[in-house]
Every structure is written in C-alpha cells, then in structure tokens.
Amino acid sequence: MPSSRPRIVFRDGICNACHWAVEKKEIDWDARAREFTEVMARGKHHPAYDCIVPFSGGKDSASIVIRLRDMGYRSLAVCYGQLVWTDVGRRNLERVAAAGIDILYWRVDQRTSRLLARRFFIERGHPKQHYDAAVNAVPLITAVNFNIPLVIYAEHGETEYGGLVLDESSRRTRNLAEVLEHQVGDDARNWAVDGISERELYPYIYPDGGSVAELGIRAFYFSYFFPWDIYRNAQYAREKLGFEGVNDEFGNRSDGTFENWDSIDDAIDCADYLLMHTKFGFGRATRMASRLIQNGHLTRGEGLELVRKYDGEYPRRYLPQILDYLGMSKEEFDATIDLHRNQEIWYKEDDEWKLRYPPK
C-alpha cells in the first residue's frame, strides 16, 4: 500500500498491514477460538439469537454467519442494504436466507439516501459516506431495540489493511471513538440541512453510548478470534452457499480490478473506487492486490502487473445506474471526479492526467 492511504503507518519502510500479516502467523488461534466461546456465552440469555452480525450480503459477512451457524450459534444478520443493489448481489443475499439465516433488512428511505449520496459525492468525493455511518449505526440500534447483547463485526480494518490502531484492545473490542473518527468522520445529525430532517437521519445516527452501556451490549471483531483472509472467505462462500461472482457481457471481473468477487453487491462502489484513485493515487486493483500479497495469494510482481493494467479504470458496467442514483449527467459526473483530483499526486501532460508517483 502507498503512503497516501489515509492513516496508514510505516515502520522501517513497511506498512503496518504487512507487519500484521507476519505477526498474525505467530498467534495461538486455538486459544483465541476458546476465548471466542467464552465471549459468545454472553448472548445465551436471548430467546432467539446469540448475536447480531452486521451483514452486507457479501462474501465476508456471509462467511461469518455460516461459520457461526456451523459452530452451533444462531445469529441475526442485520443488513442496512446497498445503495444500488446489483443483480448478483441480490441473488447472493437470497442464498444466505436459504441457508437458514434470519436477515433483518433495513430498506431505508431512498429519497434521503439519494440526496446524501449526491451531496457527499460532490462535497467529499465519497457517495457512500452515509452508508458508512449506517452500517455502523444500524446493527447497534437493532441491538438496543431487540436487547441482543452481542454484536460480531467482521474485521478490524485498521489492523488488517493499514491504518491507525488506537490501542491493542481495539483489535478485539469495537472502540466507539475509533469508529466515529476513522469510519464515519462526522456526526450524522450535522446532515439535517437542504430538506433533510434529523428524524429522517435516524438510521445513520449511532445510538447513545449510555443506552448501549446500560443494556450491557458489547461488540467484537471476528478477525481477532479467527484468521482473517478475504480470499478464503470468497472461497468459503462459493463452496458453502454457491455464491456467484460477476460474469456478464462486460466480462468476469469488476471494473478497476482483476477479480470478480469483492464489493460486487453495490453498483455505486465502482464510482467510489474511481474517486479513491483520483484522491489518493491508488485504486481498486491496488487495494485488492495488496491484500492478496499480504496473505500469500499473489507475489508482489504479479500484483504490480495487475495494478498497472487495471487501476483507475473508468466504470463501464453500472454507469447508467450510478448516474441515475446521483441524479447526474455523465458530464457532471466526470467534472465532479476531476474536482477531487489531488494535484500533489497527479499532473497533466498532453491533456491526459498522469500519476506523479506510479507504482513500481
């Protein structure tokens, strides 16, 4: 990963995600699994569910709910839902329900979601800013309302992919301050402008810490107790559930990358990854290649070749759906992309944008 990734930390020229990839090989995972059993005993007093699992419908959260099922636990999968569901994403979602998992699906007010997506696309270059807030808030809101004391999130991203780890305990137990600062970056109540009321923002507002503490609700990361590997998760979801990957008239890979199984549930992800490339100088292919290299599925040379070929690719497959959701023309979309171009990273030559520091 490059140093332009937000919050990434380097030690001796190596990012913390790569350091962690080495460190986690020395962990006693059998001891961690026993610790997980102790944690899960906290949920046994609920009549229906042992825990809540925040659920996108994708490979990672699907692999968690099925692993929990096979361990003898019953989880409630809480799904905020994607902004612009893809057909393959919907089919994979149904496969999880068919496997015996209860899914509580929040299909939120789409007027508000579209307004926020457009606003944040223009203002922040991140059309899923409110999605980030909701996927953090909705599971905790559900835990409070259903009185389910355990929430099992997927991975601690700051540890696994390179970021700022506040303290060692935050790798295990979800730290509210870290979530709000690193993943949401704002109080959703600030968004109650331009025809949006605070009441309409309910799914995006993290529940009061006092109510969470009063009910004894605690949230943990699955990745602390079991080795985390997104490639293995994709294999598991295919083998156990018959998960599909992207494969249509555009080919069998997602725009901007070389694989067809990650972030395939939401059409608007393609725009988000293009903006990541524009703002930070690395794109979807770098993101995935780095993760596969760290877990031993690619060599650095193989990854570099794929990055040079696919990083920053313009969305093809879902562009009409993206433009419709944002209420934009292609010209407005392209102008907004360039509005967020970081000129410390890019320069223009012969009317073409080029990276000042291409991967090497």
Side-chain angles (χ1 to χ4, degrees):
M1 290 302 298
S3 59
S4 55
R5 175 181 168 86
R7 302 182 305 280
I8 199 166
V9 177
F10 283 81
R11 186 172 79 243
D12 301 324
I14 299 172
C15 80
N16 50 349
C18 284
H19 280 294
W20 174 247
V22 174
E23 291 168 20
K24 68 182 181 182
K25 294 177 182 177
E26 304 302 319
I27 290 173
D28 183 346
W29 291 108
D30 290 335
R32 292 278 179 95
R34 291 192 294 272
E35 186 180 350
F36 183 74
T37 301
E38 295 170 5
V39 165
M40 291 301 293
R42 291 174 49 87
K44 286 297 183 182
H45 76 268
H46 193 275
Y49 303 108
D50 297 303
C51 65
I52 283 172
V53 174
F55 184 70
S56 68
K59 68 190 186 311
D60 296 320
S61 51
S63 70
I64 291 173
V65 295
I66 298 303
R67 284 186 170 108
L68 289 173
R69 182 202 67 181
D70 291 350
M71 292 178 201
Y73 300 114
R74 185 165 175 78
S75 56
L76 175 62
V78 177
C79 183
Y80 163 69
Q82 306 296 342
L83 302 193
V84 187
W85 275 103
T86 64
D87 291 340
V88 65
R90 288 188 182 278
R91 290 195 296 271
N92 286 339
L93 179 76
E94 286 303 312
R95 288 183 168 92
V96 177
I101 306 299
D102 283 347
I103 301 174
L104 181 65
Y105 179 41
W106 289 57
R107 184 57 175 167
V108 298
D109 157 21
Q110 288 300 289
R111 170 192 167 273
T112 299
S113 181
R114 284 173 177 254
L115 287 172
L116 291 172
R118 180 183 170 90
R119 180 194 299 177
F120 293 140
F121 178 66
I122 295 169
E123 291 181 0
R124 307 184 187 190
H126 183 25
K128 296 190 76 171
Q129 178 86 40
H130 61 306
Y131 174 91
D132 290 345
V135 295
N136 283 287
V138 160
L140 267 294
I141 294 171
T142 305
V144 170
N145 290 339
F146 282 57
N147 194 21
I148 301 173
L150 276 177
V151 182
I152 306 297
Y153 284 84
E155 79 274 43
H156 185 247
E158 301 295 302
T159 295
E160 295 291 334
Y161 310 130
L164 184 61
V165 180
L166 293 186
D167 56 62
E168 285 301 311
S169 66
S170 67
R171 299 184 195 272
R172 175 181 185 270
T173 307
R174 197 162 173 83
N175 183 310
L176 174 59
E178 183 181 89
V179 169
L180 295 179
E181 178 67 25
H182 295 169
Q183 296 184 36
V184 182
D186 201 355
D187 186 326
R189 286 168 289 200
N190 293 331
W191 307 341
V193 294
D194 299 331
I196 298 175
S197 70
E198 187 171 317
R199 294 187 73 188
E200 291 169 312
L201 293 168
Y202 176 75
Y204 309 100
I205 300 172
Y206 211 84
D208 175 73
S211 62
V212 172
E214 183 181 340
L215 292 170
I217 295 168
R218 297 186 69 190
F220 298 89
Y221 291 104
F222 193 82
S223 63
Y224 176 83
F225 303 100
F226 302 98
W228 187 255
D229 185 325
I230 59 173
Y231 180 74
R232 300 287 185 213
N233 290 346
Q235 286 183 316
Y236 188 87
R238 281 195 298 268
E239 292 165 5
K240 284 280 188 175
L241 297 165
F243 257 40
E244 296 177 61
V246 169
N247 189 10
D248 55 24
E249 68 270 22
F250 292 95
N252 63 347
R253 64 175 184 84
S254 297
D255 295 341
T257 189
F258 51 88
E259 43 73 29
N260 72 342
W261 41 263
D262 183 71
S263 293
I264 61 173
D265 316 295
D266 194 341
I268 213 164
D269 282 354
C270 299
D272 221 18
Y273 287 126
L274 179 61
L275 279 156
M276 180 172 72
H277 191 247
T278 304
K279 294 188 291 185
F280 304 118
F282 70 92
R284 189 172 187 172
T286 295
R287 170 184 175 273
M288 179 53 65
S290 295
R291 296 177 185 192
L292 296 183
I293 292 165
Q294 286 156 357
N295 284 303
H297 303 300
L298 277 181
T299 67
R300 191 179 186 281
E302 290 168 336
L304 188 59
E305 184 178 344
L306 292 166
V307 164
R308 288 170 173 162
K309 189 172 183 180
Y310 296 118
D311 235 14
E313 184 178 35
Y314 193 83
R316 307 163 300 155
R317 180 177 278 107
Y318 301 122
L319 186 61
Q321 295 96 310
I322 293 169
L323 296 178
D324 176 70
Y325 201 81
L326 297 174
M328 284 186 168
S329 66
K330 184 178 180 300
E331 290 71 27
E332 290 174 304
F333 178 85
D334 291 346
T336 305
I337 296 292
D338 275 343
L339 178 68
H340 293 284
R341 192 173 297 278
N342 184 343
Q343 298 198 29
E344 292 181 353
I345 294 174
W346 297 90
Y347 70 97
K348 211 165 195 179
E349 182 178 277
D350 298 327
D351 208 33
E352 181 182 350
W353 288 107
K354 295 185 177 181
L355 283 169
R356 295 185 188 276
Y357 313 103
K360 61 182 181 179

